[in-house]
Amino acid sequence: MAPPDLVEVVLEDPRWEELGLAPLAERAARAGLAAAGLAPQGYEIALLACGDARIATLNARFRGKPVATNVLSWPAHDLAPDAPGATPHPPPDPDGEFPEGLGDIAIAYDTVAAEAATAGIPMADHAFHLVLHGVLHLLGYDHQTASDAALMEGIETRTLVSLGVPDPYSRPDAVPTATDGQEP
């Protein structure tokens, strides 16, 4: 019997289906939790697979920036570390009766496709990276300071490379994830 899904995908833009976003997101989320030392059982993440118009609306509403971005995240818990560069606090343990929600992520097809094309990388690799990036935000990781960014990017790099996805930060034309919108 297969384990229950960690990621519930709300498919608003059908172009994501062609990419196989649901299994890609499931794999990325499981990798993100494993990298943070967490077993995925008992946790839940919601992922809105949308286009640029929808994510621009969300970005305007929640961050006051009426432009499209690649990924947004809304953590369910404040897991921020006590000091810059420190490991975030762990999320609450699942109680077993209901999944413990870690938060919500939105990802925009148009922006992700354009960034991947500009960087000359497969869109699936870029989307995988951005879902992983969003999951790490849900787990309290951030890139607001240099030490926080080094910690987060190190986890991303090790995780991606271990799964056969090239290090997105080693390319001179790297697509930055700093354009993402994390709801504070």
Side-chain angles (χ1 to χ4, degrees):
M1 184 160 126
D5 289 342
L6 168 62
V7 180
E8 179 183 339
V9 177
V10 177
L11 193 66
E12 189 173 280
D13 187 323
R15 295 176 294 174
W16 281 113
E17 196 166 23
E18 295 171 24
L19 187 71
L21 183 64
L24 178 150
E26 185 73 21
R27 188 169 168 237
R30 287 179 179 277
L33 266 65
L38 298 167
Q41 291 77 19
Y43 289 107
E44 180 177 71
I45 296 168
L47 175 66
L48 173 64
C50 61
D52 274 8
R54 175 75 156 141
I55 211 160
T57 299
L58 292 169
N59 206 15
R61 179 176 174 195
F62 291 101
R63 298 180 65 237
K65 298 179 179 186
V67 296
T69 188
N70 49 20
V71 66
L72 292 169
S73 59
W74 296 269
H77 307 283
D78 181 4
L79 305 175
D82 296 326
T87 302
H89 298 282
D93 287 331
D95 67 11
E97 186 175 348
F98 297 104
E100 179 65 42
L102 294 175
D104 303 327
I105 300 170
I107 189 167
Y109 188 92
D110 307 284
T111 297
V112 174
E115 289 174 347
T118 298
I121 59 175
M123 185 173 170
D125 286 355
H126 190 43
F128 188 96
H129 175 212
L130 291 172
V131 172
L132 171 65
H133 186 84
V135 168
L136 291 176
H137 275 311
L138 298 184
L139 296 175
Y141 292 89
D142 206 339
H143 43 81
Q144 297 303 311
T145 68
S147 57
D148 287 338
L151 176 64
M152 186 173 186
E153 290 172 11
I155 292 169
E156 290 176 85
T157 296
R158 286 188 302 277
T159 302
L160 293 168
V161 169
S162 76
L163 296 170
V165 178
D167 176 3
Y169 298 109
S170 67
R171 297 172 49 115
D173 60 343
V175 176
T177 54
T179 62
D180 72 331
Q182 180 193 5
E183 178 61 18

